[in-house]
Amino acid sequence: HEADIRRCAEKSFDPRPPSTGKSAKTVVQGVAFRQGETSPAVTGASFFYLDKFVLVSAGASIRLHQYHLDPSLTGPSRDVETQKLRNRMRTKATGSAGSPNQRIIASYGCGDGSSSSPIAFAAINSFLSHVVVSSWTDRTLRILDVAAGRFSRVIDSKFADDRAAHSVALPTTSFFVSHPNAAYDLFVTSAVSSGGVVRLWDLRTQESVVSLNGHMNRVHRLGVSVSPCMRYIATGSEDNSCYLYDVRKGQVLARLRGNHRDTVSDVAFHPLRPILATACHDGIVRLFSNS
């Protein structure tokens, strides 16, 4: 990469063939958004409900987009510049009318008269789940129930942190690990508070159950990830390292330096293998393994 990397993510591959018969690249290339509807800027996007929808955070709301695959996009160019040109031509052709292959089917805002906006959100896409966990600028954590079409719970994190959480992560799934349903009532947040803090929350009690300190986070938005076995939590750090925490002991298990030359901005566990990926502001993605 020629510039700093801000995000990286894992992908859980289902052994069953997708219902559309298209590849993951086709899914990504088949999504377009209306020019007027994405202003202000989109701050986050994620596939949702086994790739049936796309969640987008923009402005003061979280939007649910429905899309279909465009057959003309089944063969994206291997040349980056050629693909960029195609994308610009496609955007210019649709103009303000927007792309016909998507539509917004729902939009979720605070609804309480406040000017709060979403900072980050997380949703499980590897199995059918209608829960979206989001962090907002008023230092609340809001649990969106898409099936009910409303926020079912609002957790006030002001008593835990003096800054709003800038990253949210949910447990990942793996074909080699099985967890009780209650395990997916947990989620993780990261905030620029007290020099950097990662918290494990329980939806049932609506409280922080584990607080993890040791990494450095004073300025940047740093990603956080939960291992498929749910024993470890990884986070980036501004001291050019990645920190691996032991959830049960509540302490640092390892500090992964890996010749990072700048802030480690995001992390992601591999869903099938004991591999951890780190994204760094020096433009390099690094892979760590226990072997």
Side-chain angles (χ1 to χ4, degrees):
H1 298 273
E2 297 177 354
D4 56 336
I5 304 172
R6 302 300 178 92
R7 294 297 303 275
C8 66
E10 82 289 343
K11 172 63 178 176
S12 298
F13 291 97
D14 196 322
R16 299 168 298 177
S19 58
T20 59
K22 304 295 184 180
S23 65
K25 286 185 178 179
T26 305
V27 174
V28 175
Q29 294 293 334
V31 178
F33 303 108
R34 297 179 186 274
Q35 214 171 21
E37 292 172 341
T38 56
S39 181
V42 172
T43 57
S46 174
F47 286 110
F48 179 59
Y49 215 70
L50 291 178
D51 293 345
K52 290 182 174 63
F53 305 98
V54 174
L55 284 167
V56 173
S57 59
S61 64
I62 296 177
R63 301 170 180 174
L64 185 66
H65 289 251
Q66 188 178 40
Y67 66 93
H68 72 270
L69 302 179
D70 189 343
S72 64
L73 304 176
T74 55
S77 173
R78 293 180 179 272
D79 182 70
V80 176
E81 295 302 322
T82 301
Q83 189 61 48
K84 287 182 179 179
L85 179 60
R86 290 181 181 178
N87 291 337
R88 286 195 295 268
M89 293 176 61
R90 188 177 304 115
T91 303
K92 184 177 180 180
T94 57
S96 59
S99 175
N101 67 337
Q102 68 83 35
R103 64 188 180 96
I104 298 177
I105 60 176
S107 181
Y108 310 97
C110 284
D112 53 7
S114 67
S115 58
S116 181
S117 302
I119 301 175
F121 69 87
I124 293 177
N125 185 48
S126 54
F127 60 85
L128 297 177
S129 172
H130 50 80
V131 175
V132 180
V133 181
S134 57
S135 170
W136 294 68
T137 54
D138 61 355
R139 282 189 284 170
T140 59
L141 301 171
R142 298 174 183 263
I143 314 304
L144 172 61
D145 188 334
V146 176
R150 61 182 179 85
F151 291 100
S152 59
R153 302 177 187 178
V154 178
I155 303 175
D156 192 348
S157 63
K158 296 177 183 177
F159 301 102
D161 298 310
D162 55 10
R163 299 285 294 274
H166 55 60
S167 294
V168 182
L170 290 170
T172 56
T173 58
S174 174
F175 299 119
F176 300 105
V177 180
S178 61
H179 298 294
N181 293 335
Y184 295 99
D185 288 329
L186 303 173
F187 67 94
V188 179
T189 63
S190 177
V192 182
S193 180
S194 303
V197 60
V198 171
R199 295 187 185 278
L200 180 66
W201 299 79
D202 192 328
L203 282 176
R204 294 161 296 187
T205 63
Q206 303 186 43
E207 294 180 350
S208 172
V209 293
V210 176
S211 178
L212 303 172
N213 301 86
H215 63 288
M216 183 185 298
N217 187 195
R218 296 190 176 95
V219 179
H220 299 287
R221 174 178 176 175
L222 305 181
V224 63
S225 181
V226 184
S227 66
C229 65
M230 298 185 66
R231 293 178 57 187
Y232 311 110
I233 293 176
T235 180
S237 181
E238 293 172 356
D239 59 358
N240 304 354
S241 304
C242 167
Y243 283 76
L244 191 65
Y245 289 98
D246 188 312
V247 176
R248 293 178 297 181
K249 296 181 180 179
Q251 61 187 25
V252 176
L253 180 65
R255 178 186 178 188
L256 309 177
R257 292 180 174 86
N259 297 322
H260 295 106
R261 297 191 295 270
D262 208 331
T263 297
V264 177
S265 55
D266 205 1
V267 293
F269 282 99
H270 194 287
L272 302 179
R273 300 178 182 178
I275 296 176
L276 176 66
T278 64
C280 185
H281 283 183
D282 63 8
I284 299 176
V285 174
R286 295 171 175 84
L287 300 180
F288 294 84
S289 176
N290 61 354
S291 60

